[in-house]
Amino acid sequence: MKRREFIKLSLITSSALFLPQWSYAKNFNINQIDFSNSIYNQNKAQTLIIFMYGGASQLAGNLTNIKEIKKASENSYDYFRGLTKTENNCWQEAGGTHMEELISNGDMTIFRTCFSQVREDNDNKAHGVCTAQNQKGSFAEDSAGIIANLAQILASNKIIDENTIMPFVTLDGESTFYTEGTTPLAGYLKPVGITENLDNPYKRDIRKWFYYSEAERALDPEHYSDDIDGFDPAIDAEMEKLAKKNNQNTEIKNAFAKRASMSSFIDNIANSTLPDLGDNEYPKHNDFAKKVETAIKVLVKNSDTKIVTLGTGGLGGWDDHNDARNYVERMENLFKTLKSAMAHIKAENREENINIIVFGEFGRNVNLNSANGWDHGNLQNLYILGGKGYFNHKGVVGETILDKTGQINRLFLKPKKGSYWFEPMSIASTIYKIYGIENPKILTGGYSPINIL
Amino acid sequence: MIYIKSFLLVILGSLFIGCGGGGTNSSNSSLDIDSKYSIEYKGLKFYYKNLPTSEYKLTPLTDSEFNNLSSKNKLLVANKLLSTLFFGYPQQVLNSKIDSGSFISDIQNELKENTIDKEQVESDILDSSKFQQSTWNEQEAVNILSRLYVMDKLDKYFLHNWIAYILTQTIMFSPAYELDSTHRPNITTVYNRIVNLLEEEGGMRYITYVHMSSEDNWRRFRSPEDNGREMLEIFLLDQNDTHVPIAGKALQNWKLDRDSDTLVVGLNQNRKPLKLFGTTIYNGDDFYRELVKSKLFINGVTSRLVDFFFPNFSTKEKNSVKNNIISSNPETWQDILLQIVFSKKYLLNNYRAKSAEETFFSLAKKIDFQHRVGTFHELKNSLEDMHQATMKYKLGKIQRVPLDTLSFINYYKYIREKVLLRESNPDKIDDYEAWDRQGWSINFIKNDGIDYDNKTNKESLIAFINYIFKTTIYREATKEEMQMFLNLMLKGDSGREEFTCCFNMFEEDDDPQKEIKKRLDSKSRITKLVLEYIARLDDTFVQKEVK
């Protein structure tokens, strides 16, 4: 009965309205970007970004402080019926076994200290603002989204042009990743949407016989009773041309312009086959797994696609304020799917180029509250997989401590003194870097790429 | 004394309405009408009269200003107003209303009267022979869509339903049926509570207070800290994290029990004073009540609605609209919503994508759209494909009309394939199960109001094509557009054009019945071709500004 799609990407897009006064980045000027063609060509990076809307708890990938947490928590962690630590202090029942496998294969790094001092200082843990900031890779209200910036830069360096096929693809609608800045995005740089089942709403059918001119009818009378196939009649082309000329709304114009090519793009991907993944096949009957499978197929089959974005619709959202027990299953499914995705990438010999980046707007408070859930926090894990041609995976990075504020329901994990940590904006900086941008700090308001990779 | 009486009313009101009942429908039978407006509970007034238009500070468009617009702009503004309200009139009716000279005030007056036969409407939408009733696919939401279609007049009941519909699309009142913890009846209870309280002249602070305290709201935001945080952020735009633990403390005894997701308010309430909203609060009731009484409340809810209706205005422009509305001291949802909808800013200067409901319901009235049993289940599903799902999202429709490629193409596909290219078969008018009952009816092309006598074939065709354009996208075809159709549908020398074979609107037959049918068939073909083109125009999908 229920659809656990949770928060759509599109819900967050207008949240920038509520951004606080503080602002760090400046408007970016394309001429200030140092772009390296050789890094771009060497990496040939392609990325799947999975955004965990709602703010996922970091505990699945970090049980280091669980003893202290259990002692200080309002409700008992026995509620979870299984809280076993793995070798690297991951939560075995919550995807930990798969995490360990990915780590031991050198396929993944877990960063445990993605923390925002800026938000700490500004008392902000609101979904909308934090999502917008993380997807823009900037605290500045007027910044464009990470992918919108990247699109402009790749286009200005002639990496992408009008002939590039679907450079940016979304399986969850448009998000702040694609928010335009002061320079509007050309139509070919805007993301295109597909569904996990590769439904093809872009196909335009129902062509009645009377759409054709008399001359056309005289040429091939048999076709005029065929409602579905027919052929592109002159009137159809003329209508298309005239509508294109008359339409003013850029988004609608863009959607119509891409309709026909999207239709064949989807058919091509839908007809492509999945390699044998052995024991690592994608989980069955799981919309999220299907989305990831489709996303990897797109990246593998179409090297023009640079980035695919998706949320975790199909698994559920991560805003676990209550009854957090099913978080465990969600994490298990997430990492089982990610393991399959890595196997898929490897089976296609693309692990050097294709990477997967998993993060959200924030992590969570670690007090298990009276409703057996976790409220908002300010430290999250970042999971980076693949991209082995340019990422040197380190397994686990970062150490945390438990900050007991003394207030009820206010137990937070924070970076341990001396431990490596970074603001969420560094995620954007890292993405920019692997695509050949040598001075990404200019786009993130001073935040460097994650230098430990 | 009045406090005690009022408090009981709040509690009783919450219980009745929260359970999905209709509350009271007769007008405050036990209350003296004048004293009704002074009832309050700890400073929270329950009832308010709507502001008269004369007190709107966001300047409304007047009849004389409307009358001074060009014919083209009158048509555009009239349709913008009506489609915003999910309504429309057939072209002939609309023309006469525009020509009356009092179009704007007539609409305003219609919205004050009770003219709809509510009993008939409510019984119609539950008639399973006409409107499919299912235990799946959130029938409650489908009923609400069906009601908006069935209501055939603009009146007070229509307005209250429209207001409830708009509010339940926003982050403020979305029933959020996508969540595991919400249940289908929450759609009905949230929506009906708003309609019922509007019928009783409930103020927006009171309506919000009742909503926030309800199980429906707790099924959406489910822990004391979560609920407190979100109410502060949603209604006051307060994102200060230091306020969250205070709200959590005040709500410490509120809990959504896992057994049937039941809201339980325990007796272990906080008894120590807490400072919030510039006052002292202790418990959840204090928190919700003082929140709606807060100075920030009107600012917060007005901002939410201004964002909803003016998505493309700059922050500066939005602030100006918002501040004008706030300066009129609105106390009812109508004060804000009608102030927006009838304003010059909205009707003349605002450009935005049209929601699928605005497009569908207005078109339906204009083209005499006939439904079949499953039409509104299909509409609900299609809204999901367009990412415009009604009442589904936890945070409402923050972006009312997503125009990314996939969302828009689904929107286009629905309007093209399910509305514009579907002609209702007149022989199936009594068969609601029939697939070909759905579509625009023959009345749409029959009642074009065009006098074809003394017109050449070309003049007749031009008049008919322009009729279709004006009905659907409020403008005539451009020269180039018209030529495209004329080239296809006419042949022969200038001044003596004849129709190409299948478009002859004036085909003759010895049998008068056959002749009528043949002519209508030709008009139908012309119509579908023209609508095929119109579906490809952004005019179909946007609320335009007046240039």
Side-chain angles (χ1 to χ4, degrees):
Chain A
M1 180 188 77
K2 293 291 171 191
R3 293 163 182 80
R4 293 227 30 170
E5 290 172 24
F6 190 60
I7 309 169
K8 286 167 52 282
L9 289 150
S10 57
L11 300 182
I12 310 298
T13 51
S14 59
S15 53
L17 184 73
F18 309 115
L19 284 168
Q21 296 302 311
W22 28 274
S23 169
Y24 292 86
K26 52 187 176 181
N27 282 335
F28 108 84
N29 175 348
I30 201 94
N31 299 319
Q32 294 174 321
I33 302 296
D34 296 331
F35 183 78
S36 164
N37 266 299
S38 66
I39 292 175
Y40 176 83
N41 288 324
Q42 192 185 326
N43 291 351
K44 291 191 174 61
Q46 291 176 282
T47 303
L48 166 60
I49 297 178
I50 300 174
F51 199 86
M52 303 168 87
Y53 287 95
S57 169
Q58 60 278 25
L59 289 178
N62 182 9
L63 287 181
T64 328
N65 312 94
I66 194 65
K67 204 171 163 187
E68 265 188 288
I69 293 171
K70 278 179 169 180
K71 217 182 271 180
S73 174
E74 186 181 354
N75 271 14
S76 168
Y77 270 73
D78 291 345
Y79 161 78
F80 285 106
R81 301 177 190 154
L83 194 72
T84 316
K85 280 187 183 181
T86 63
E87 189 187 342
N88 283 296
N89 287 318
C90 299
W91 185 342
Q92 183 182 297
E93 292 84 353
T97 308
H98 309 299
M99 291 184 203
E100 290 291 352
E101 203 174 315
L102 287 162
I103 289 170
S104 68
N105 290 340
D107 290 336
M108 178 173 82
T109 304
I110 302 177
F111 294 92
R112 287 177 169 158
T113 45
C114 177
F115 171 78
S116 179
Q117 187 61 50
V118 175
R119 289 176 193 154
E120 195 75 1
D121 295 342
N122 285 279
D123 282 320
N124 198 302
K125 296 189 187 74
H127 289 292
V129 175
C130 297
T131 300
Q133 290 171 345
N134 289 6
Q135 295 189 346
K136 288 179 168 190
S138 170
F139 288 113
E141 197 173 336
D142 55 354
S143 298
I146 297 172
I147 300 174
N149 279 338
L150 186 63
Q152 301 272 25
I153 294 163
L154 295 182
S156 75
N157 286 282
K158 308 199 184 321
I159 301 291
I160 296 175
D161 60 27
E162 281 175 329
N163 298 316
T164 309
I165 302 164
M166 316 303 164
F168 305 106
V169 175
T170 168
L171 276 94
D172 274 295
E174 207 161 323
S175 67
T176 320
F177 281 121
Y178 304 98
T179 298
E180 293 177 29
T182 44
T183 318
L185 278 183
Y188 67 93
L189 297 177
K190 288 178 189 280
V192 292
I194 58 174
T195 65
E196 64 270 24
N197 296 319
L198 295 165
D199 305 323
N200 195 348
Y202 296 94
K203 197 170 270 175
R204 185 192 278 153
D205 50 24
I206 313 176
R207 288 193 177 122
K208 301 285 182 191
W209 61 271
F210 51 79
Y211 287 13
Y212 302 83
S213 69
E214 280 192 325
E216 285 165 337
R217 278 195 289 275
L219 272 176
D220 190 356
E222 277 182 29
H223 274 99
Y224 301 114
S225 57
D226 188 339
D227 281 352
I228 304 299
D229 296 329
F231 55 84
D232 271 339
I235 185 67
D236 183 76
E238 203 176 338
M239 279 185 185
E240 201 70 356
K241 195 175 153 193
L242 202 49
K244 187 179 172 185
K245 186 180 164 191
N246 287 338
N247 284 341
Q248 301 294 314
N249 183 295
T250 51
E251 287 161 300
I252 292 175
K253 221 175 157 112
N254 178 54
F256 277 128
K258 285 183 174 159
R259 189 196 58 75
S261 53
M262 273 309 292
S263 183
S264 44
F265 177 79
I266 287 174
D267 285 346
N268 288 341
I269 300 294
N271 291 330
S272 67
T273 51
L274 184 68
D276 181 7
L277 302 181
D279 293 341
N280 288 320
E281 64 177 15
Y282 285 99
K284 303 273 184 218
H285 313 299
N286 180 315
D287 287 351
F288 174 72
K290 192 73 199 160
K291 279 186 186 185
V292 173
E293 180 188 326
T294 300
I296 300 297
K297 264 189 179 179
V298 168
L299 292 169
V300 166
K301 303 295 175 194
N302 181 37
S303 58
D304 275 8
T305 297
K306 305 302 168 200
I307 298 188
V308 179
T309 53
L310 54 88
T312 53
L315 283 184
W318 303 93
D319 200 17
D320 287 302
H321 286 280
N322 69 320
D323 299 329
R325 195 177 277 149
N326 60 20
Y327 161 83
V328 177
E329 194 187 340
R330 244 179 288 133
M331 270 292 177
E332 175 69 14
N333 281 328
L334 170 66
F335 276 91
K336 201 172 173 186
T337 303
L338 289 174
K339 206 171 72 175
S340 304
M342 271 316 297
H344 184 174
I345 292 167
K346 284 177 169 178
E348 299 277 9
N349 295 317
R350 300 294 294 279
E351 68 267 34
E352 297 288 304
N353 314 109
I354 299 176
N355 70 85
I356 304 174
I357 297 181
V358 187
F359 67 113
E361 62 261 48
F362 44 55
R364 301 199 82 81
N365 184 327
V366 290
N367 177 59
L368 194 64
N369 64 26
S370 59
N372 286 319
W374 302 294
D375 296 308
H376 300 184
N378 188 22
L379 174 141
Q380 67 168 312
N381 294 341
L382 163 69
Y383 306 93
I384 296 188
L385 297 88
K388 290 161 96 169
Y390 40 88
F391 286 142
N392 182 16
H393 287 295
K394 295 286 194 300
V396 173
V397 175
E399 291 181 81
T400 51
I401 53 149
L402 180 66
D403 178 26
K404 289 180 260 186
T405 62
Q407 280 183 292
I408 188 166
N409 196 26
R410 303 250 112 185
L411 281 180
F412 299 108
L413 286 187
K414 284 188 171 171
K416 189 175 179 179
K417 197 172 177 187
S419 168
Y420 178 74
W421 70 277
F422 53 87
E423 286 275 351
M425 307 309 126
S426 290
I427 301 171
S429 214
T430 306
I431 295 171
Y432 292 134
K433 184 184 161 192
I434 62 173
Y435 283 89
I437 297 162
E438 295 190 292
N439 56 344
K441 281 163 75 171
I442 212 161
L443 296 160
T444 60
Y447 296 99
S448 311
I450 300 164
N451 62 20
I452 215 151
L453 266 180
Chain B
M1 182 63 184
I2 198 135
Y3 277 177
I4 296 165
K5 200 169 160 187
S6 307
F7 179 70
L8 282 172
L9 268 174
V10 172
I11 299 299
L12 288 172
S14 307
L15 284 174
F16 275 116
I17 298 163
C19 291
T24 52
N25 253 339
S26 59
S27 250
N28 308 295
S29 50
S30 61
L31 292 171
D32 173 307
I33 289 297
D34 288 332
S35 67
K36 163 178 162 178
Y37 301 106
S38 60
I39 295 173
E40 61 173 50
Y41 165 55
K42 295 187 181 177
L44 171 62
K45 284 194 174 185
F46 292 177
Y47 304 109
Y48 282 91
K49 285 184 177 167
N50 294 309
L51 287 174
T53 316
S54 57
E55 288 185 29
Y56 288 177
K57 301 288 188 212
L58 184 65
T59 317
L61 186 72
T62 62
D63 279 331
S64 61
E65 286 163 332
F66 177 81
N67 295 335
N68 283 333
L69 295 170
S70 66
S71 302
K72 190 180 158 191
N73 284 339
K74 270 192 252 189
L75 194 59
L76 195 154
V77 169
N79 277 297
K80 188 175 186 178
L81 174 61
L82 293 169
S83 60
T84 300
L85 294 169
F86 303 165
F87 207 76
Y89 291 109
Q91 197 56 36
Q92 295 305 305
V93 181
L94 183 62
N95 287 344
S96 68
K97 283 184 175 284
I98 290 173
D99 293 343
S100 72
S102 52
F103 177 76
I104 299 285
S105 54
D106 286 349
I107 301 285
Q108 286 166 340
N109 289 332
E110 284 175 37
L111 295 172
K112 289 177 191 162
E113 305 296 327
N114 277 310
T115 51
I116 286 176
D117 184 343
K118 295 176 199 171
E119 226 172 297
Q120 187 61 48
V121 167
E122 297 305 321
S123 109
D124 269 1
I125 64 172
L126 296 176
D127 180 347
S128 59
S129 69
K130 293 180 183 167
F131 295 92
Q132 185 183 343
Q133 303 294 314
S134 309
T135 51
W136 51 275
N137 197 28
E138 289 83 21
Q139 179 68 46
E140 292 76 2
V142 174
N143 288 347
I144 290 167
L145 293 170
S146 307
R147 183 183 292 110
L148 288 166
Y149 166 79
V150 168
M151 288 187 290
D152 59 350
K153 294 185 188 77
L154 275 179
D155 84 337
K156 197 197 253 188
Y157 189 59
F158 187 102
L159 176 64
H160 291 162
N161 274 278
W162 178 79
I163 291 174
Y165 193 86
I166 294 293
L167 293 176
T168 51
Q169 306 308 302
T170 70
I171 194 171
M172 296 186 285
F173 292 90
S174 175
Y177 72 75
E178 69 178 346
L179 298 176
D180 273 351
S181 54
T182 59
H183 300 250
R184 289 184 295 106
N186 295 118
I187 297 170
T188 311
T189 49
V190 172
Y191 181 91
N192 289 4
R193 179 190 302 126
I194 298 173
V195 173
N196 283 320
L197 287 174
L198 290 171
E199 292 277 283
E200 298 292 335
E201 298 187 284
M204 62 183 164
R205 295 179 201 263
Y206 173 51
I207 291 175
T208 307
Y209 163 77
V210 175
H211 172 73
M212 285 194 297
S213 316
S214 71
E215 188 170 82
D216 310 298
N217 183 41
W218 268 78
R219 284 178 174 176
R220 187 162 64 132
F221 301 112
R222 300 158 287 193
S223 77
E225 178 156 328
D226 181 34
N227 196 284
R229 175 194 295 279
E230 295 299 343
M231 295 306 101
L232 290 166
E233 190 178 330
I234 290 171
F235 291 102
L236 307 187
L237 310 184
D238 175 4
Q239 297 188 349
N240 188 333
D241 197 52
T242 62
H243 293 164
V244 175
I246 303 171
K249 184 81 182 149
L251 291 164
Q252 68 178 24
N253 57 324
W254 292 58
K255 181 185 172 184
L256 192 70
D257 195 287
R258 288 193 72 196
D259 188 354
S260 304
D261 297 304
T262 311
L263 173 62
V264 177
V265 182
L267 296 177
N268 57 323
Q269 68 176 51
N270 171 60
R271 294 175 198 281
K272 293 193 176 79
L274 300 164
K275 283 282 174 202
L276 200 60
F277 313 121
T279 186
T280 303
I281 63 168
Y282 291 87
N283 54 35
D285 181 56
D286 293 342
F287 171 72
Y288 293 128
R289 188 189 63 250
E290 295 306 318
L291 186 154
V292 297
K293 283 166 60 187
S294 152
K295 278 181 190 165
L296 295 175
F297 177 77
I298 300 292
N299 176 66
V301 298
T302 308
S303 286
R304 294 283 177 198
L305 293 172
V306 169
D307 286 342
F308 198 72
F309 282 92
F310 298 91
N312 298 321
F313 267 30
S314 66
T315 306
K316 192 179 164 192
E317 287 170 314
K318 281 184 192 172
N319 281 338
S320 163
V321 170
K322 182 185 75 180
N323 292 335
N324 275 310
I325 295 172
I326 292 172
S327 68
S328 68
N329 298 316
E331 285 293 343
T332 69
W333 293 113
Q334 182 174 317
D335 292 346
I336 299 177
L337 287 165
L338 288 194
Q339 195 158 183
I340 288 174
V341 168
F342 283 99
S343 70
K344 283 209 269 198
K345 271 275 179 253
Y346 179 75
L347 291 173
L348 303 182
N349 306 130
N350 193 30
Y351 174 93
R352 67 172 170 85
K354 209 188 264 185
S355 75
E357 296 94 331
E358 290 174 325
T359 306
F360 173 79
F361 290 117
S362 61
L363 268 176
K365 295 277 193 293
K366 289 146 71 74
I367 62 178
D368 195 28
F369 183 83
Q370 302 296 313
H371 73 286
R372 62 178 299 277
V373 279
T375 298
F376 294 94
H377 277 278
E378 198 173 75
L379 173 60
K380 178 189 165 280
N381 291 337
S382 298
L383 288 172
E384 296 200 10
D385 293 339
M386 302 170 203
H387 300 123
Q388 297 186 44
T390 183
M391 306 183 214
K392 175 179 180 178
Y393 311 119
K394 184 178 181 184
L395 303 183
K397 292 177 185 168
I398 291 181
Q399 191 181 10
R400 189 176 181 185
V401 189
L403 290 178
D404 60 90
T405 50
L406 184 63
S407 306
F408 175 73
I409 286 296
N410 277 305
Y411 184 4
Y412 160 71
K413 189 178 172 69
Y414 178 81
I415 295 298
R416 173 180 180 266
E417 292 178 10
K418 309 293 182 191
V419 182
L420 295 178
L421 297 191
R422 291 274 287 264
E423 181 185 358
S424 178
N425 182 344
D427 298 335
K428 300 288 178 62
I429 202 69
D430 296 320
D431 182 2
Y432 288 87
E433 296 281 344
W435 281 102
D436 53 351
R437 190 187 190 279
Q438 180 169 319
W440 44 265
S441 87
I442 205 79
N443 292 331
F444 167 45
I445 54 174
K446 215 153 83 175
N447 304 331
D448 55 23
I450 301 165
D451 179 4
Y452 290 107
D453 291 346
N454 305 318
K455 277 192 171 68
T456 64
N457 286 344
K458 186 178 175 181
E459 286 165 345
S460 298
L461 185 57
I462 288 173
F464 183 62
I465 289 172
N466 276 333
Y467 162 76
I468 299 167
F469 265 77
K470 284 167 83 173
T471 304
T472 51
I473 56 172
Y474 337 138
R475 69 166 174 87
E476 294 190 340
T478 64
K479 205 173 160 187
E480 222 174 342
E481 288 166 338
M482 188 60 79
Q483 200 55 53
M484 173 174 69
F485 294 116
L486 297 183
N487 289 346
L488 184 75
M489 297 171 191
L490 290 177
K491 61 183 177 187
D493 296 336
S494 174
R496 287 191 303 192
E497 292 90 349
E498 288 177 16
F499 288 102
T500 51
C501 70
C502 48
F503 302 111
N504 190 352
M505 296 162 65
F506 307 115
E507 195 171 345
E508 293 176 357
D509 196 292
D510 293 339
D511 179 340
Q513 290 305 315
K514 279 186 183 168
E515 183 174 282
I516 291 172
K517 185 165 184 325
K518 279 180 177 175
R519 289 180 177 194
L520 280 173
D521 283 349
S522 293
K523 280 177 99 175
S524 160
R525 286 180 205 118
I526 296 166
T527 305
K528 284 181 194 158
L529 256 172
V530 173
L531 290 177
E532 168 69 41
Y533 172 72
I534 282 175
R536 301 177 192 202
L537 295 176
D538 61 2
D539 302 79
T540 307
F541 304 98
V542 297
Q543 299 283 18
K544 288 168 123 179
E545 60 194 320
V546 171
K547 288 182 178 163

